[in-house]
Amino acid sequence: MSTLSRDQVRTMMGEVLAAQGKELPADDGARLDTIGFRSLDFSELALQVEDELDAELNFDAPGLRSIETVGDVLDFIDELQKAE
């Protein structure tokens, strides 16, 4: 399976936010609740990643609860790709 780089996932995350008129900050420490990135946005991002990889990502709800920052999202998706 191919993988997406952190920068590619970050770009996709920015596109999800841009569709709502929001901007992804450069700081990976930015809190998701501050920038307006919601669970629905995460789901959209995950679907885009799956489409790009042509593979299903297997993640669980408890793992999602620990995600609070932009960097957490990027780390989480990176770990999911490694698990495949």
Side-chain angles (χ1 to χ4, degrees), residues 47-73:
L47 287 172
Q48 286 183 14
V49 169
E50 288 177 338
D51 285 348
E52 189 70 29
L53 297 175
D54 196 27
E56 187 173 321
L57 299 175
N58 295 313
F59 53 90
D60 60 358
L64 293 174
R65 290 190 186 102
S66 65
I67 296 175
E68 296 181 355
T69 67
V70 171
D72 290 343
V73 171

Side-chain angles (χ1 to χ4, degrees), residues 5 13 19 25 35 59 61 74 80-81 84:
S5 71
M13 190 175 183
I35 63 172
F59 53 90
L74 300 174
L80 289 176
Q81 291 183 90
E84 290 301 313

Side-chain angles (χ1 to χ4, degrees), residues 4 7 10-11 13 40-41 49 52 67 78-79:
L4 296 174
D7 286 340
R10 186 175 227 300
T11 297
M13 190 175 183
L40 184 60
D41 301 322
V49 169
E52 189 70 29
I67 296 175
D78 191 44
E79 289 301 315

Side-chain angles (χ1 to χ4, degrees), residues 25 27-35 68-71:
D27 178 17
D28 280 359
R31 292 188 51 84
L32 299 179
D33 55 357
T34 303
I35 63 172
E68 296 181 355
T69 67
V70 171

